C-alpha cells in the first residue's frame, strides 16, 4: 500500500540499525472521490517523539487536482528487525530480508 512506503520512510528517524517499524493500526477518513486513473499522493507526518516503541503518524492523501481526499492516522511499532523477520517467516507470512523494495 502506498501509505506504507510513506510511513516507513517517515519512521526512519526513529529507528536505529537493526530495527524497523511494522504497521499496527490504520484509521482513515475518506473525504471525496478521485477520478479514475488519477494519482493520489499520500503524505505522512511523523510524531514529535516516539511513545516507547509506538509511533502514530498523521496522514493525508491529495489527488492529482490538489484536492484533499483522505485524512487519518497510522500506528507503527518499532521492532528488532531480525527477530521479527524470523517470527514472520516461521508463521508463513512470506516476508524475507530484502523484499521491502529498498525501504529501511
Amino acid at each position: 500500500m502506498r501509505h506504507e512506503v510513506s510511513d516507513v520512510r517517515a519512521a526512519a528517524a526513529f529507528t536505529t540499525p537493526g530495527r524497523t517499524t511494522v504497521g499496527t493500526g490504520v484509521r482513515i477518513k475518506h473525504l471525496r472521490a478521485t477520478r479514475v486513473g488519477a494519482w493520489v499522493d499520500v503524505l505522512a507526518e511523523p510524531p514529535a517523539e516516539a511513545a516507547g516503541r509506538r509511533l502514530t503518524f498523521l496522514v493525508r492523501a491529495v489527488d492529482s487536482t490538489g484536492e484533499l481526499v483522505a485524512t487519518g492516522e497510522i500506528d507503527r511499532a518499532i521492532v528488532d528487525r531480525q527477530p521479527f523477520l524470523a517470527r514472520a517467516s516461521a508463521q508463513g507470512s512470506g516476508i524475507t530480508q530484502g523484499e521491502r523494495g529498498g525501504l529501511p
Side-chain angles (χ1 to χ4, degrees):
M1 295 195 328
R2 196 72 184 147
H3 69 77
E4 182 85 7
V5 173
S6 183
D7 293 343
V8 169
R9 288 185 179 144
F14 297 96
T15 60
T16 56
R19 289 197 164 168
T20 190
T21 63
V22 295
T24 60
V26 177
R27 293 170 301 287
I28 300 292
K29 181 176 182 181
H30 189 255
L31 304 173
R32 65 185 288 274
T34 299
R35 156 175 70 80
V36 173
W39 56 262
V40 174
D41 196 14
V42 179
L43 307 164
E45 181 181 326
E49 60 185 46
R53 288 186 170 222
R54 302 283 177 196
L55 302 168
T56 297
F57 295 84
L58 299 179
V59 293
R60 59 190 174 96
V62 179
D63 71 11
S64 57
T65 68
E67 293 290 328
L68 184 66
V69 297
T71 61
E73 295 179 331
I74 296 178
D75 300 323
R76 299 189 70 78
I78 301 169
V79 298
D80 295 320
R81 182 187 312 265
Q82 291 305 329
F84 170 76
L85 291 174
R87 282 191 308 273
S89 181
Q91 294 172 1
S93 71
I95 298 173
T96 60
Q97 184 77 23
E99 289 187 3
R100 295 181 50 96
L103 297 175

